[in-house]
Amino acid sequence: VPWLQQWQHDAQAAAAVMFVLIGIMHLVTPRKLTYMIESWLPYALELVLISGILEIILGLGLLIPAVRIYASWGLIALLILMFPANIYVAVKQLPAPGGLPAKAWYTWSRLAFQPVYIAWVWWCVR
C-alpha cells in the first residue's frame, strides 16, 4: 500500500531526527544526564557520551537502507539498556534531565514511552 510505505518512510525520518538530536544533546550537555547512573554504574560520563554517539550513528543508520535493520536493532538494544536508568530516576523521584524540578508524571512517563519508542523503531524497518 503506497500511503503506508510513505508513512513508514516518514516514521523512519522522524525517528532518525529524534535520535540524532537526543544524541547531540548527550554530547553537548553530558553532565546533565550523568546523575541518572552515576550512583550505581561506573564511568557515568563516558557511558553518556558513548550512548550519545551511538544514538547519532544508529539514528542516521535508519536512513540508509543497507544498514537500516541493524541500526533499528541497535537502537532497540540501546533503549532496553537505558530503561533501568529511567526506572531509577522514577523510583528515586530524581529531577528531570537538566535539573528541572522533579515531576512524578514526567519521570514515570519516560517509562511508558520507552516501549513506544521501541515499537516505533521496530515498525520503521518492518
Side-chain angles (χ1 to χ4, degrees), residues 26-27 30 33-34 37 43-53:
H26 279 70
L27 299 180
L33 299 168
T34 56
I37 57 173
Y43 308 108
L45 179 62
E46 292 81 359
L47 289 171
V48 169
L49 294 171
I50 290 167
S51 67
I53 291 166

Side-chain angles (χ1 to χ4, degrees), residues 61-90:
L62 289 177
L63 302 174
I64 304 168
V67 298
R68 184 174 293 140
I69 190 81
Y70 302 109
S72 68
W73 285 112
L75 285 168
I76 289 168
L78 193 59
L79 287 164
I80 291 168
L81 289 171
M82 291 179 177
F83 198 66
N86 291 325
I87 293 171
Y88 177 77
V89 169

Side-chain angles (χ1 to χ4, degrees), residues 97-115:
L100 299 173
K103 301 283 187 199
W105 67 267
Y106 175 78
T107 55
W108 287 99
S109 73
R110 289 174 63 103
L111 296 176
F113 275 98
Q114 207 83 353

Side-chain angles (χ1 to χ4, degrees), residues 17-37:
V17 168
M18 181 186 80
F19 281 105
V20 168
L21 291 175
I22 291 170
I24 290 170
M25 185 194 73
H26 279 70
L27 299 180
V28 172
T29 58
R31 296 263 182 224
K32 289 184 178 183
L33 299 168
T34 56
Y35 78 98
M36 297 174 79
I37 57 173

